[in-house]
Amino acid sequence: MRVPNISLYSTSSYQLNTTTNNLRDANEVISTQKRINNISDDPIGLSQVLDLRLSIDNLTQLDKNIEMGRTWLNGSESALRSVSDQIIDAKLLSTQMVNASMSTSERADAVEQVEGIMDQILSLGNTKVNGSYIFSGIKTNIRSFNYDDEINPGKVVYNGTDTGFTIKTGTVSQLEVGRDGK
């Protein structure tokens, strides 16, 4: 039985094209270092890759959120510790002023010191982290505390919300890191 030349040529041409295409695909994989370069390469694998990229992006964002939360909590802790120290100083000063041997000028100086302590506490109540007020609740762009000089001079007014600032720490979980100052 004799095989016609056209048949041999067609078979050889087909196998040569298949080998060339396989070589081109292998070369593309090597040069791009990616197994999937087109949707047609592996549609199911591509959907898995996209899901993995989305998961990685979510984890990266969660890591940034958690780091920001740590910064907020550290800022809050530092501010509250300083407020506690200021209150202790004011208590010590008031204890000293109870003594009958204190002169009027010493008591006037103590009043100025207490006013300074109050100003410092107000300043600590308006602590910012990354440009946001940490004691304003969810209104982080609004100054937390001000003196109400118009209606009640010397009285402090809270400008924030009753809801604490939260960060996303999981797909459905949130953690409150910014406290409301009320």
Side-chain angles (χ1 to χ4, degrees):
M1 170 168 193
R2 183 162 183 228
V3 179
N5 285 341
I6 192 77
S7 228
L8 288 174
Y9 176 75
S10 293
T11 303
S12 296
S13 178
Y14 174 76
Q15 288 176 347
L16 192 56
N17 277 339
T18 302
T19 303
T20 303
N21 287 337
N22 289 342
L23 185 59
R24 187 192 70 234
D25 292 343
N27 192 23
E28 185 178 10
V29 168
I30 289 172
S31 65
T32 62
Q33 295 183 352
K34 295 179 181 176
R35 187 178 64 84
I36 302 172
N37 292 300
N38 300 312
I39 293 175
S40 60
D41 290 344
D42 186 1
I44 294 172
L46 180 64
S47 69
Q48 291 172 340
V49 166
L50 294 175
D51 286 344
L52 288 173
R53 278 190 184 162
L54 182 63
S55 295
I56 289 171
D57 290 344
N58 285 339
L59 289 173
T60 302
Q61 184 60 48
L62 290 175
D63 187 47
K64 288 178 185 177
N65 290 352
I66 290 170
E67 190 56 39
M68 183 182 76
R70 281 187 183 137
T71 304
W72 275 64
L73 291 172
N74 289 338
S76 298
E77 183 179 345
S78 176
L80 292 174
R81 189 177 307 117
S82 295
V83 166
S84 176
D85 292 344
Q86 294 294 322
I87 291 172
I88 290 170
D89 290 345
K91 281 183 180 180
L92 288 173
L93 188 61
S94 66
T95 304
Q96 291 172 356
M97 292 302 115
V98 171
N99 190 344
S101 66
M102 292 295 175
S103 69
T104 306
S105 65
E106 289 174 323
R107 289 188 176 157
D109 289 341
V111 167
E112 288 181 21
Q113 287 179 352
V114 169
E115 287 175 351
I117 289 172
M118 288 173 52
D119 289 341
Q120 183 65 29
I121 290 173
L122 181 72
S123 176
L124 290 166
N126 291 317
T127 299
K128 282 182 164 184
V129 169
N130 296 331
S132 299
Y133 292 100
I134 59 176
F135 295 116
S136 290
I138 58 174
K139 290 185 177 180
T140 60
N141 60 335
I142 294 176
R143 186 176 168 94
S144 306
F145 299 97
N146 288 324
Y147 281 117
D148 185 12
D149 291 332
E150 293 177 15
I151 299 173
N152 295 318
K155 182 178 179 184
V156 175
V157 177
Y158 177 62
N159 302 312
T161 64
D162 294 344
T163 308
F165 181 74
T166 59
I167 58 167
K168 188 176 180 181
T169 57
T171 54
V172 293
S173 60
Q174 293 187 348
L175 178 67
E176 186 176 313
V177 293
R179 307 301 282 176
D180 67 283
K182 196 167 188 178

